């Protein structure tokens, strides 16, 4: 029997990238040696001391029982000390930190917590598609904020229709940005706090790539902005900073009432994460941080190799300031999807079409720095050999 789905499932956006994954598989089977720069799955292993903390924790019978519903105090205290150490931001571990099963979960949950059907949420375009999923599940509407090169890929609040600003209850932002690799300025965060205060909007800053800044740049936390905790929260995942994407651990920090709402919805949906995972996450946040610096340096070297290769074939593009993505304009005469299909078919290189991140992503592709330097250079050389950018 095929059961009909609830309306809320029918509202979920299409998985734009599913088709690309299928096409890549087909080309891999037919021609072999596909270089996949289309996805965002970190390629390096979790640092040893974190894995060892998991191993030790796994042997503790106390963690074989249910964990406390709202997470281990040890992890929430570690999150607070991480923010104090890295950003000089004080957090109350019990009231201002919620443990998440990965940031994705929290970013979807927050719309369930704060939006009623018909409400409005402001989202970046291009942007991380899971914001849309949460909004769709809650039956709310989206107002897209175009991110363009002219505005350094920052939303322009003055350009948002006054009616949408007045109606908005949630505002999603994300810096360093996926997919554009752009950075936020402190003045942009200040302006965000001002707009949110005036319009009574809850800001959700997705800080997934907070540890990955290039050329000496340390991405600021939104919570460093005066007044930020009054109007918002920040989602910080361990997936990218510590190569723990498979572990599913993150936290949300900031406004007490929002943290309470996240905890409340989670009380009804889950019991918290495996205690040993939480203990290892606490070790990640408070233990040695050399691996984080080394990781950012590794991505910076890869970025440099990529951008040098891109420049050598006459592909005119800006280097990212952070994250592990480069946002490259497509060759003339192509749509982003057409370009991605063409380079997959003819160069066996997977890139993510910008259109999949929203209408304003059209004209670009996203390239991930998640292969080693020689593979990145080879990918660009293969694209160069197609003669789309002037030089071969
Ligand atoms: C911008 C952004 N936010 C959130 C996430 C999800 O992180 P997590 O692994 O913690 O669910 C990703 C993962 O790709 C991301 O790119």
């Amino acid at each position: 029997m095929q059961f009909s789905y609830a309306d809320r499932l029918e509202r979920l956006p299409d998985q734009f990238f599913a088709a690309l994954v299928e096409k890549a598989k087909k080309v891999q089977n037919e021609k072999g040696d596909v270089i996949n720069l289309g996805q965002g799955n970190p390629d390096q292993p979790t640092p040893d001391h974190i894995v060892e903390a998991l191993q030790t924790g796994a042997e503790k019978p106390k963690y074989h029982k249910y964990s406390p519903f709202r997470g281990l105090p040890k992890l929430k205290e570690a999150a607070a000390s991480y923010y104090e150490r890295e950003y000089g931001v004080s957090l109350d571990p019990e009231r201002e930190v919620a443990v998440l099963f990965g940031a994705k979960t929290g970013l979807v949950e927050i719309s369930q917590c704060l939006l009623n059907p018909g409400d409005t949420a402001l989202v970046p375009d291009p942007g991380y598609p899971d914001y849309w999923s949460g909004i769709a599940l809650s039956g709310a509407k989206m107002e897209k904020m175009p991110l363009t090169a002219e505005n350094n890929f920052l939303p322009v609040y003055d350009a948002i229709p006054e009616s949408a600003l007045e109606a908005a209850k949630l505002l999603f932002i994300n810096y360093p940005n996926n997919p554009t690799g752009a950075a936020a300025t402190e003045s942009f965060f200040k302006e965000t706090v001002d707009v949110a205060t005036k319009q009574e909007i809850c800001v959700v800053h997705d800080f997934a790539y907070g540890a990955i800044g290039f050329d000496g740049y340390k991405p600021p936390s939104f919570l460093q902005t005066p007044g930020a905790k009054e109007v918002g929260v920040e989602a910080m995942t361990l997936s990218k900073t510590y190569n723990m994407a498979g572990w599913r651990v993150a936290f949300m920090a900031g406004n007490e009432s929002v943290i309470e709402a996240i905890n409340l919805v989670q009380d009804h949906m889950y019991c918290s994460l495996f205690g040993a995972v939480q203990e290892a996450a606490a070790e990640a946040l408070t233990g040695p941080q050399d691996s984080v610096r080394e990781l950012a340096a590794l991505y910076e070297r890869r970025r440099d190799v990529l951008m040098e290769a891109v420049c050598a074939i006459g592909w005119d593009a800006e280097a990212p300031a952070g994250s592990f993505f480069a946002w490259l304009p497509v060759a003339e005469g192509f749509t982003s999807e057409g370009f991605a299909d063409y380079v997959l078919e003819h160069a066996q290189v997977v890139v993510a079409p910008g259109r999949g991140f929203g209408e304003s992503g059209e004209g670009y592709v996203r390239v991930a720095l998640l292969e080693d330097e020689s593979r990145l250079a080879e990918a660009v050389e293969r694209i160069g050999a197609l003669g789309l950018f002037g030089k071969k």
Side-chain angles (χ1 to χ4, degrees):
M1 198 182 313
Q2 170 65 48
F3 292 98
S4 58
Y5 296 157
D7 293 347
R8 72 179 69 80
L9 286 203
E10 305 293 352
R11 286 196 301 266
L12 282 169
D14 288 337
Q15 282 285 3
F16 187 89
F17 295 105
L20 183 71
V21 171
E22 283 313 307
K23 282 181 211 161
K25 263 194 222 155
K26 191 165 165 273
V27 174
Q28 174 69 41
N29 290 340
E30 284 167 6
K31 300 187 179 170
D33 198 20
V34 165
I35 305 180
N36 191 340
L37 308 180
Q39 279 159 349
N41 206 345
D43 64 313
Q44 296 296 302
T46 307
D48 289 345
H49 68 283
I50 304 172
V51 176
E52 281 155 21
L54 174 74
Q55 285 165 338
T56 312
E59 287 174 13
K60 296 184 183 169
K62 66 177 176 181
Y63 293 147
H64 302 169
K65 301 179 175 180
Y66 291 118
S67 303
F69 271 68
R70 294 188 172 196
L72 294 182
K74 183 174 181 173
L75 175 53
K76 291 186 272 187
E77 283 156 18
S81 74
Y82 176 87
Y83 262 81
E84 189 70 62
R85 185 189 73 223
E86 295 293 327
Y87 305 110
V89 169
S90 303
L91 294 170
D92 179 318
E94 280 309 314
R95 289 181 300 145
E96 294 178 332
V97 177
V99 174
L100 304 173
F101 285 77
K104 180 181 168 95
T105 312
L107 293 164
V108 172
E109 281 166 357
I110 196 155
S111 292
Q112 319 304 303
C113 291
L114 299 187
L115 299 177
N116 284 316
D119 283 346
T120 299
L122 302 168
V123 292
D125 175 7
Y128 179 63
D130 284 322
Y131 311 143
W132 316 338
S133 314
I135 296 164
L137 286 174
S138 66
K141 293 183 290 216
M142 285 197 291
E143 177 76 24
K144 296 197 171 172
M145 305 181 292
L147 309 185
T148 62
E150 301 81 74
N151 296 310
N152 302 315
F153 300 107
L154 296 169
V156 180
Y157 295 126
D158 287 344
I160 301 171
E162 192 61 28
S163 57
L165 271 180
E166 276 168 16
K169 290 205 171 157
L170 258 187
L171 160 65
F172 288 90
I173 49 174
N174 160 227
Y175 293 96
N177 184 254
N178 175 10
T180 66
T185 54
E186 281 173 27
S187 66
F188 166 72
F189 278 160
K190 279 205 184 90
E191 194 192 345
T192 303
V193 169
D194 289 346
V195 170
T197 308
K198 180 167 175 238
Q199 305 286 357
E200 296 180 19
I201 303 172
C202 174
V203 179
V204 187
H205 180 232
D206 179 355
F207 203 29
Y209 300 94
I212 312 171
F214 302 139
D215 308 314
Y217 166 70
K218 182 175 170 77
S221 157
F222 174 66
L223 298 181
Q224 286 173 293
T225 319
K229 254 203 253 176
E230 276 304 303
V231 294
V233 288
E234 187 157 82
M236 152 70 201
T237 175
L238 279 76
S239 295
K240 324 284 173 172
T241 308
Y242 302 103
N243 291 318
M244 293 171 71
W247 298 51
R248 312 311 304 132
V249 54
F251 59 92
M252 196 168 270
N255 185 275
E256 192 180 330
S257 67
V258 178
I259 296 301
E260 174 58 27
I262 291 282
N263 277 326
L264 183 62
V265 80
Q266 295 196 149
D267 285 346
H268 290 268
M269 296 184 87
Y270 329 99
C271 198
S272 194
L273 288 82
F274 180 31
V277 167
Q278 296 192 55
E279 192 163 285
E283 169 60 22
L285 294 166
T286 56
Q289 301 295 305
D290 317 66
S291 65
V292 180
R293 285 184 284 275
E294 284 158 20
L295 187 67
L298 173 86
Y299 290 138
E300 184 168 328
R301 285 196 301 277
R302 289 178 177 179
R303 178 207 60 169
D304 291 346
V305 165
L306 180 89
M307 296 316 293
E308 217 171 278
V310 156
C311 178
I313 65 162
W315 195 347
D316 190 14
E318 290 286 322
S323 84
F324 49 54
F325 299 114
W327 188 236
L328 308 176
V330 300
E332 228 179 289
F334 284 92
T335 62
S336 63
E337 205 174 1
F339 181 79
D341 284 348
Y342 192 83
V343 299
L344 173 59
E345 191 61 36
H346 299 282
Q348 286 127 263
V349 175
V350 183
V351 294
R355 181 68 184 80
F357 302 96
E359 278 152 44
S360 300
E362 189 48 89
Y364 290 88
V365 287
R366 190 192 72 176
V367 170
L369 304 170
L370 301 173
E371 286 279 351
D372 66 28
E373 292 170 32
S374 63
R375 290 289 275 176
L376 288 171
E378 185 187 337
V380 179
E381 274 161 31
R382 287 191 198 174
I383 295 173
L386 305 177
L388 302 173
F389 293 103
K391 296 185 207 165
K392 282 207 182 189

